[in-house]
Amino acid sequence: MQLTGTARINNQGELEIGGVTASELVARFGTPLYVMDEELIRENCRAWRAAVKTHLSRADVVYAAKAFCTLAMCRLVEQEGLGLDVVSGGELYTASSAGFPAGRIYFNGNNKSREELELAVNHRVGRIIVDNFLELELLEDIAASQQREMNILLRVSPGIEAHTHEYVKTGQLDSKFGFTLENGQAMTAVRKALRQPYLKLRGVQCHIGSQIFALDGYREATRVLIRFLRDVKQETGALLDELDLGGGLGVYYSEGDTPVSVAQCVGAIAGEARTYVEEMGIPLPKLVFEPGRSIVGPAGTVLYRVGARKEIPGVRTYVAVDGGMADNPRPALYGSRYSALVANKANKPSNEQVTIAGKCCESGDILIQDINLPHLEAGDILAVFTAGAYQYSMASNYNRLARPAVVFVRAGEAYLVVKRESMADLVRNDIIPAEWTGNESLRVVR
Ligand code: LLP
């Protein structure tokens, strides 16, 4: 168990984050509750900016909003001077509602609709990362009709296997993302993009996967794309000046995870790029990074209220909490492992092995399999760590569970940034056909 950021165990043996105790947080905001350590998010943003500043004279860091996207988060990212990577009209709308400067927005995604592209052009986002030929045509059409030049990057699929879970790998040959390098599709896309009067091709982008610990994949991607920039120059004469390497840096969830630091990651990529551009005889392009998880993941903690307990002697003890796969689908989707502690018994010895179950009606709704914790009783508060990325953003209303609230904590204060959904929210968009009203013939009489 590693405590990160401002999380600590106070003198009463209770978990505190941002100077606020878990019991105070659950008393004020209820459970389940996503708690975000604001100080740590800001530190992580600064670590990225500092790392690129140390190693590169020109670079952009754009936070991948998909990891955790709310108005307050967009505002924080703006304050910290990062750009923002969005992947849908909804994320773009959130960013613009928060007043995020459009010029610092990168728009990713493999199937942007005409409406989404129009929104992006209307907002004049800084970069659109074009993923496929249909998008290239749509975007030229929209930009031309508005007589507005748009800066684009092309998403390239570099054919690299990142060592991570199958579902979060993205750069390999058999991938739905981007223009494939191996078969010449990427070069065809470059030629086509260069012919579009309203599209200004600035560079290329790739993203090899997520939750990555080994830097070799990044080094390889850097070389592959730099070689491609050299080929583009040789074959078309165009010198593309931007190289976006996506996100993916891994974080600690549980024992066995061995993350590398932001500084190591940026240092390795910058070093590789510098050496390889020399070999290829092209100038060093501006490097772009799109970190998501490494900025917010470790800053989040979910607080659950412990409920029922089921002991099967000789087999297993299940302890259920008041959330589960609806607020965190990651264990069910990817088999992700988490670490946790009992917030109100943080100093007690972990002398019991239990399995933490969620409350959804599925056997697969297990949050943590076989974890050693102090004896759990109904009413205890379970804190599950590294909950800042891809949890709130992937939460659902499965079983008609209302989505939890999100609070930022800092210096002894807690700020509500997303209200807990109400029961009324759950039926807000539901409609009973008007034709049914008063129509007795529809009622089955038994
Ligand atoms: N850029 C692009 C183009 C991406 O597709 C992603 C993540 C990122 C940046 C940010 O990657 P990060 O630094 O957060 O690893 N739901 C999965 C993760 C999916 C990641 C999708 N793309 C999970 O919960 O592990």
Side-chain angles (χ1 to χ4, degrees), residues 64 66 85 168 207 210 247-248 290 292-293 330 334 390 394:
K66 61 177 81 65
D85 150 28
V168 291
H207 170 79
S210 198
E290 302 175 349
R293 192 188 320 260
R330 302 191 67 261
Y334 318 117
Y390 305 108
M394 291 175 77

Side-chain angles (χ1 to χ4, degrees), residues 32-43:
L33 182 68
Y34 298 106
V35 181
M36 302 293 284
D37 182 344
E38 183 187 326
E39 204 66 49
L40 184 54
I41 304 178
R42 290 187 188 276
E43 247 174 54

Side-chain angles (χ1 to χ4, degrees), residues 48 62 64 66-67 85 87 108-109 155 167-168 170 177 205-207 209-212 218 244-250 253 290-295 330 333-334 336 338 389-391 394:
W48 271 101
V62 292
K66 61 177 81 65
D85 150 28
V87 290
N108 261 294
R155 169 81 177 247
Y167 291 178
V168 291
T170 36
F177 295 103
Q205 187 251 23
C206 76
H207 170 79
S210 198
Q211 183 60 0
I212 294 170
Y218 285 121
D244 180 341
L245 290 155
L249 186 59
Y253 283 90
E290 302 175 349
R293 192 188 320 260
S294 56
I295 287 182
R330 302 191 67 261
L333 261 181
Y334 318 117
S336 312
Y338 281 83
Y390 305 108
Q391 289 191 202
M394 291 175 77

